[in-house]
Amino acid sequence: MSETAQMPSLDDFEALLNETMPADTGFEGQVVTGTVVSVESDFAIIDIGLKAEGRVPLKEFAMPGQTPEINVGDNVEVFVDRVENALGEAILSRDKARREEAWTDLEKAFEGDARVNGVIFGRVKGGFTVDLNGAVAFLPGSQVDIRPIRDVTPLMNIEQPFQILKMDRRRGNIVVSRRAILEEDRAGQRAELMGKLKEGDSVDGVVKNITDYGAFVDLGGIDGLLHVTDISWRRVNHPSEALTIGESIKVQVVRINPETQRISLGMKQLAEDPWAGIEAKYPVGAKFNGQVSNITDYGAFVELEAGVEGLVHVSEMSWVKKNVHPGKIVSTSQDVEVMVLEVDQSKRRISLGLKQCSENPWEAFEDKFPQGAEIEGEVKNITEFGLFIGLDGDVDGMVHLSDLDWERSGEDAIQDYKKGDMVKAVVLDVDTDKERISLGVKQLSGDPFSNVSTKKKGETVTVVVKEVTENGLEVEIGETGVAAFIRRVDLAKDRNDQRPERFAVGDKVDAMVTNMDKGSRKVNLSIKALEVAEEKAAVEQYGSADSGASLGDILGAALEKAKGE
């Protein structure tokens, strides 16, 4: 550099800078209107009136999911990030321009509580993102619909209205609700529909939700409850058996509560009531075929026709199976024959019998084994009051303790038996109404007491001493096998002879019958009474007490006369 060369001044540097970089136009950070000069590949070239043009991606000219419609010559608004970059291009953004414009419009809508249109275009944690014409808003999952929905896909990428719940421009936050729009629209529709509906109306609806107790039906802006008992005249255990979500159905308005605005619906009310004229259709005593529809602890329900069920009480299920759960006798969906026992149309009840359609084993037993017939069976059970014996027809008969033995007590006699023993018995009585059969074992042999019961008071019997006790004698009357007891005081007239030890087992002794109780099967005997009677007879025949003859003389003479005869 020569000495004469001069260094450029500060003004010269400023001039050079202005030649290479345009002066501040005031465009940066502003939304300006530009013209599309060309469309190349995925970009639109925009002229905003500066030396440098800018390019904007085509996707910024369309809503999410839509095809951009942009042509050369179109005027568009863009946001100027920078007037020029290192490549000499203006940095432009259609999205930011739309966002700035959208925020302004959204603030006005928020202040005026107005609806805004947007498009759900993405999923984020806790909800979804919504494009509000350039501004991105958050849609919480709870604000998508009135009721939770599993699949939001059909709602995405379509323009629809939203309500702004809150917004903060400084932070760039917007929260919107689709549910608020639906509820508002629904409230209007509900009010209009409630004004038109009246009880008894038949309306079309769509099954919206199903619960254990019924289904909610959308009547076009208002929901009604279709209770499970009003779906069909026939039994419906769960609404899902008859309905599906989304199904279109016709229902009748059963009841409207103006205070709660609740609507009760019915489907079965649109069909003929099968219980009309039920008594003529199902007369008492008639037999019908049906299907077991439900089983409970107290019986089984049998469907006679669609909407008509009758109850077979557990007591009417089997002649012989007692205290058995109905599920062990019949099964659900089983076809059975039943008899109508009772019909109550007012209470919509029919009592049915299952056992009446089979032979009554008690009547069959009575026909086969009348009173007095001998039978044989196995001891099924032993109780404190007798034996239960299994008989033909799967029925049981009972031998009461009192019918086990003629002479021994029932408590003693029952010790001879055990379960499983085969026992012979006589049919004493059959009560078909009470389903009881009375049997007797002792009746297999003749009643030994019958041979004694003919004896009258005052008659003399010969007995055999069976046991000598301190209080008297245990004796058996002749060979009848009937036992009796002679008390100590009745052993002799003479008090000194009233000693049991005077007698020995096997001795034969004459005694007088002093009492005969056929009811208790007891015979009272007395040797003393016999002696007194014999003495009296001798006195009457041979002398009197004051004749001077002794009793010994009289009895001696009587004995001598008896020998001579």
Side-chain angles (χ1 to χ4, degrees):
M1 182 179 293
S2 63
E3 294 179 359
T4 58
Q6 296 180 351
M7 292 291 290
S9 65
L10 185 60
D11 293 338
D12 293 333
F13 276 116
E14 184 177 357
L16 291 172
L17 184 61
N18 288 335
E19 290 180 2
T20 57
M21 295 187 66
D24 183 11
T25 61
F27 282 6
E28 288 188 358
Q30 300 294 320
V31 176
V32 300
T33 301
T35 304
V36 179
V37 295
S38 66
V39 178
E40 302 174 356
S41 185
D42 294 330
F43 295 90
I45 309 302
I46 310 295
D47 180 8
I48 59 172
L50 299 177
K51 180 169 65 175
E53 297 171 339
R55 62 175 62 198
V56 179
L58 291 179
K59 64 181 182 180
E60 293 189 15
F61 291 93
M63 299 291 284
Q66 298 180 2
T67 303
E69 295 182 3
I70 187 76
N71 299 303
V72 175
D74 289 349
N75 291 325
V76 295
E77 291 184 341
V78 292
F79 181 85
V80 181
D81 271 342
R82 289 170 56 191
V83 172
E84 189 175 356
N85 63 7
L87 299 176
E89 297 177 337
I91 306 302
L92 308 177
S93 172
R94 172 61 179 162
D95 280 348
K96 288 185 178 181
R98 290 174 58 237
R99 193 176 302 123
E100 288 295 316
E101 181 181 1
W103 270 97
T104 301
D105 294 338
L106 292 174
E107 285 178 334
K108 292 179 181 179
F110 183 55
E111 292 173 0
D113 198 25
R115 299 180 179 186
V116 295
N117 289 332
V119 176
I120 303 174
F121 68 89
R123 299 175 185 266
V124 293
K125 184 178 180 180
F128 305 87
T129 51
V130 178
D131 183 356
L132 300 177
N133 197 28
V136 177
F138 173 63
L139 173 63
S142 61
Q143 296 297 318
V144 175
D145 207 310
I146 295 174
R147 292 187 178 88
I149 54 177
R150 296 180 180 177
D151 187 11
V152 185
T153 304
L155 300 177
M156 299 184 70
N157 299 320
I158 59 172
E159 190 173 20
Q160 53 192 313
F162 296 89
Q163 187 77 37
I164 300 175
L165 300 181
K166 61 181 179 179
M167 63 185 300
D168 187 337
R169 186 164 187 170
R170 184 173 61 85
R171 295 183 177 180
N173 294 335
I174 305 175
V175 179
V176 295
S177 171
R178 178 175 176 270
R179 175 177 178 174
I181 300 296
L182 297 176
E183 288 178 341
E184 184 179 338
D185 292 346
R186 192 176 184 84
Q189 294 171 350
R190 187 182 186 91
E192 181 181 357
L193 191 57
M194 283 293 290
K196 295 179 180 179
L197 282 180
K198 60 182 182 297
E199 294 181 0
D201 285 352
S202 295
V203 293
D204 293 320
V206 177
V207 179
K208 198 166 188 179
N209 192 25
I210 293 177
T211 68
D212 290 339
Y213 54 85
F216 287 95
V217 180
D218 186 354
L219 304 179
I222 185 172
D223 286 353
L225 174 62
L226 174 60
H227 196 269
V228 63
T229 57
D230 288 315
I231 293 176
S232 173
W233 289 112
R234 71 186 306 169
R235 178 186 295 271
V236 177
N237 294 315
H238 194 277
S240 59
E241 296 176 4
L243 303 171
T244 56
I245 294 178
E247 179 183 359
S248 296
I249 60 174
K250 184 175 286 293
V251 292
Q252 184 181 92
V253 178
V254 177
R255 185 170 53 260
I256 298 176
N257 189 325
E259 295 180 1
T260 61
Q261 292 195 332
R262 290 183 178 176
I263 301 175
S264 298
L265 306 173
M267 281 181 68
K268 71 180 185 182
Q269 287 79 359
L270 297 175
E272 183 180 356
D273 185 356
W275 283 84
I278 201 73
E279 293 175 344
K281 195 184 300 184
Y282 295 99
V284 173
K287 296 180 181 180
F288 297 92
N289 290 321
Q291 188 177 76
V292 178
S293 57
N294 192 31
I295 297 175
T296 68
D297 291 338
Y298 53 85
F301 287 92
V302 175
E303 185 179 60
L304 300 175
E305 64 174 271
V308 177
E309 285 184 338
L311 172 66
V312 180
H313 192 267
V314 63
S315 62
E316 304 295 346
M317 303 200 77
S318 173
W319 290 113
V320 295
K321 295 180 180 178
K322 308 296 183 183
N323 301 318
V324 175
H325 191 277
K328 294 186 177 181
I329 299 176
V330 295
S331 57
T332 304
S333 300
Q334 178 181 345
D335 292 326
V336 294
E337 184 182 25
V338 291
M339 177 184 286
V340 178
L341 303 180
E342 184 182 358
V343 179
D344 190 331
Q345 184 169 338
S346 62
K347 294 183 179 179
R348 305 174 79 86
R349 292 178 183 173
I350 298 180
S351 297
L352 302 173
L354 184 67
K355 68 183 183 182
Q356 288 79 0
C357 294
S358 60
E359 184 181 45
N360 184 335
W362 309 96
E363 293 178 354
F365 182 89
E366 185 179 32
D367 292 339
K368 187 175 181 181
F369 300 100
Q371 186 175 3
E374 291 188 13
I375 56 93
E376 184 176 17
E378 181 182 344
V379 175
K380 295 291 186 181
N381 196 18
I382 300 176
T383 70
E384 60 183 8
F385 47 84
L387 303 176
F388 283 91
I389 299 177
L391 306 172
D392 283 0
D394 204 21
V395 297
D396 289 345
M398 190 189 80
V399 182
H400 193 270
L401 290 177
S402 61
D403 290 313
L404 286 173
D405 195 283
W406 288 114
E407 299 302 324
R408 291 190 297 163
S409 68
E411 288 75 9
D412 290 339
I414 202 170
Q415 303 302 319
D416 296 341
Y417 302 91
K418 62 180 182 299
K419 275 188 179 182
D421 285 352
M422 295 302 294
V423 176
K424 290 183 178 181
V426 174
V427 177
L428 302 181
D429 181 60
V430 179
D431 189 330
T432 56
D433 293 333
K434 295 182 179 180
E435 298 179 350
R436 292 176 184 172
I437 299 175
S438 298
L439 304 175
V441 172
K442 70 182 184 181
Q443 287 78 3
L444 290 169
S445 60
D447 183 359
F449 193 77
S450 62
N451 297 324
V452 177
S453 61
T454 57
K455 300 293 183 181
K456 296 180 180 180
K457 184 177 180 180
E459 288 192 33
T460 300
V461 294
T462 301
V463 299
V464 179
V465 177
K466 291 296 183 180
E467 185 178 354
V468 179
T469 70
E470 183 181 350
N471 296 320
L473 303 178
E474 294 281 355
V475 298
E476 183 179 287
I477 301 174
E479 298 179 354
T480 63
V482 176
F485 185 75
I486 303 176
R487 298 180 303 166
R488 184 186 186 104
V489 295
D490 289 318
L491 291 178
K493 177 184 176 184
D494 190 341
R495 190 171 189 140
N496 293 327
D497 293 333
Q498 293 176 354
R499 292 176 289 106
E501 57 269 23
R502 291 175 50 225
F503 301 90
V505 174
D507 288 352
K508 290 185 177 181
V509 181
D510 288 340
M512 178 182 286
V513 177
T514 57
N515 187 45
M516 177 71 67
D517 189 339
K518 297 180 181 179
S520 61
R521 300 173 62 82
K522 287 185 178 181
V523 181
N524 294 336
L525 302 176
S526 174
I527 299 174
K528 174 183 177 180
L530 179 60
E531 289 178 350
V532 171
E534 288 178 344
E535 179 180 338
K536 182 179 180 181
V539 169
E540 289 178 352
Q541 185 173 0
Y542 296 105
S544 61
D546 56 0
S547 64
S550 67
L551 178 61
D553 294 336
I554 295 173
L555 291 179
L559 289 174
E560 288 296 328
K561 181 178 180 182
K563 288 179 181 179
E565 292 177 353

